[in-house]
């Protein structure tokens, strides 16, 4: 009899556990607003849920371009997180997602955001924008954002350079995962890639796109100039011999001068190219 009661009790406990797991699986992620582990930090200033935050010393501040190297995560409400390492209702603390999914404020100040774009701090405190230059990234966008996105609000923004620009602000889901963003260097057109391989081999290191383009332009100018001079020299020599067959010696001497000029042009051009690619 006792064994039967124990079996029924264990069966009941297993059923409850399965129901909880099932409920977590079918619950939509936006119902919580965040998935991941959060932790409470001391707050300085007004920080609301959705703001990107930076940690300076032991205090949270809204993230911006001045403190972007100290990016920590995205602020969330206590009720939005499933797991918190420091549950608290203190008004002087805020919960922060440092790894996982969170709803965060973004702007298209640096261009429209596409799903998967890395995000960095913007001139607007607590608001993120698309990364285009190297820097600390808070994570990546999980949704597109532009001026037509539902909930997007227009705002006049002054950039770090003092330029006024029209932008829009809204919220999207963000995969919070701190990293150092390094933009991919633009690639040469496929037809020009052999030149870059040659330049890299001569220089002994990877040659940047601007230097490769400059070297290719100088090489093209040198070849065109050499061909033009050679054509002019040969044409003039043939015409001179046709008019006066006895001038053959002078024509040959003139062609030697032409070849000397071509050699000088190519030598100078290749020297400049080597200086550029090794720079």
């Amino acid at each position: 009899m006792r064994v039967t009661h124990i079996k029924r009790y264990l069966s009941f406990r297993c059923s409850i556990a399965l129901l909880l797991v099932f409920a977590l699986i079918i619950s939509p992620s936006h119902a919580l607003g965040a998935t991941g582990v959060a932790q409470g930090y001391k707050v300085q200033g007004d920080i609301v849920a959705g703001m990107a935050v930076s940690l300076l010393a032991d205090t949270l501040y809204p993230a911006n371009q001045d403190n972007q190297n100290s990016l920590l995560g995205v602020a969330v409400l206590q009720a939005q997180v499933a797991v918190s390492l420091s549950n608290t209702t203190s008004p002087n603390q805020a919960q922060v997602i440092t790894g996982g999914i969170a709803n965060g404020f973004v702007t298209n100040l640096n261009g429209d955001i596409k799903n998967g774009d890395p995000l960095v701090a913007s001139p607007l405190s607590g608001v993120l924008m698309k990364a285009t230059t190297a820097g600390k990234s808070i994570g990546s966008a999980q949704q597109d954002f532009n001026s037509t996105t539902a909930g997007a609000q227009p705002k006049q923004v002054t950039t770090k350079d003092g330029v006024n620009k029209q932008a829009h602000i809204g919220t999207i889901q963000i995969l919070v995962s701190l990293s150092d963003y390094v933009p991919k260097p633009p690639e040469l057109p496929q037809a020009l890639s052999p030149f870059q391989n040659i330049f890299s081999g001569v220089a002994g290191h990877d040659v940047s796109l601007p230097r490769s383009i400059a070297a290719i332009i100088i090489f093209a100018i040198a070849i065109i100039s050499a061909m033009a001079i050679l054509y002019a020299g040969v044409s003039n020599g043939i015409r001179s011999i046709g008019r006066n067959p006895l001038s053959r010696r002078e024509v040959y001497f003139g062609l030697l001068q032409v070849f000397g000029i071509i050699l000088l042009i190519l030598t100078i051009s290749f020297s400049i190219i080597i200086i550029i690619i090794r720079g």
Side-chain angles (χ1 to χ4, degrees):
M1 192 73 171
R2 185 177 179 182
V3 173
T4 303
H5 285 305
I6 292 174
K7 288 182 177 179
R8 288 178 180 176
Y9 176 75
L10 292 174
S11 177
F12 175 76
R13 292 290 297 273
C14 290
S15 299
I16 294 297
L18 288 172
L19 286 172
L20 288 174
V21 171
F22 182 73
L24 287 173
I25 292 173
I26 66 173
S27 295
S29 61
H30 61 268
L32 288 173
T35 59
V37 178
Q39 185 168 348
Y41 294 88
K42 187 170 66 176
V43 173
Q44 178 69 36
D46 295 328
I47 292 179
V48 299
M51 273 189 170
V53 292
S54 293
L55 185 65
L56 301 175
D58 60 348
T59 304
L60 288 180
Y61 294 84
N64 55 49
Q65 290 181 313
D66 293 328
N67 59 26
Q68 65 179 356
N69 290 332
S70 301
L71 277 171
L72 179 67
V74 176
V76 294
L77 296 175
Q78 176 76 45
Q80 288 180 311
V81 294
V83 180
S84 175
L85 299 179
S86 53
N87 292 317
T88 179
T89 57
S90 171
N92 296 323
Q93 280 200 347
Q95 294 288 326
V96 179
I97 290 284
T98 57
I101 300 291
N103 291 329
F105 293 111
V106 293
T107 176
N108 62 347
L109 178 66
N110 217 21
D112 291 342
I113 296 172
K114 300 294 184 182
N115 190 343
D117 282 345
L119 302 173
V120 295
S122 75
L124 299 169
S125 293
V127 182
L128 300 168
M129 65 182 182
K130 180 173 69 174
T132 55
T133 57
K136 193 81 168 182
S137 171
I138 201 170
S140 59
Q142 299 301 287
Q143 296 172 306
D144 294 347
F145 180 81
N146 52 53
S147 59
T148 62
T149 301
Q153 299 293 322
K155 184 175 179 62
Q156 197 72 20
V157 182
T158 301
T159 66
K160 203 170 184 179
D161 300 328
V163 179
N164 290 324
K165 294 181 68 175
Q166 178 73 24
H168 286 76
I169 299 175
T171 59
I172 60 172
Q173 282 197 333
I174 297 167
L175 174 60
V176 181
S177 178
L178 294 174
S179 63
D180 291 321
Y181 170 69
V182 179
K184 293 181 180 179
E187 297 181 356
L188 276 173
Q190 193 170 8
L192 301 181
S193 58
F195 290 96
Q196 191 171 30
N197 294 334
I198 294 172
F199 296 153
S200 298
V202 172
H205 57 77
D206 290 337
V207 179
S208 65
L209 177 61
R211 291 182 181 274
S212 295
I213 292 176
I216 290 172
I217 291 174
I218 292 173
F219 177 76
I221 292 174
I223 294 298
I224 292 172
S225 300
M227 291 179 65
I229 293 173
L230 179 61
Y231 176 79
V234 172
S235 297
N236 290 335
I238 292 173
R239 284 195 294 269
S240 297
I241 293 174
R243 288 194 298 267
N244 182 11
L246 298 178
S247 64
R248 185 173 298 176
R249 181 177 297 178
E250 288 78 5
V251 170
Y252 288 159
F253 180 74
L255 288 176
L256 286 176
Q257 289 180 321
V258 168
F259 285 124
I261 293 173
I262 291 174
L263 182 62
L264 180 62
I265 290 174
L266 294 177
T267 301
I268 294 174
S269 300
F270 290 150
S271 299
I272 294 173
I273 288 173
I274 290 174
I275 291 172
I276 290 174
I277 64 177
R278 287 185 176 176

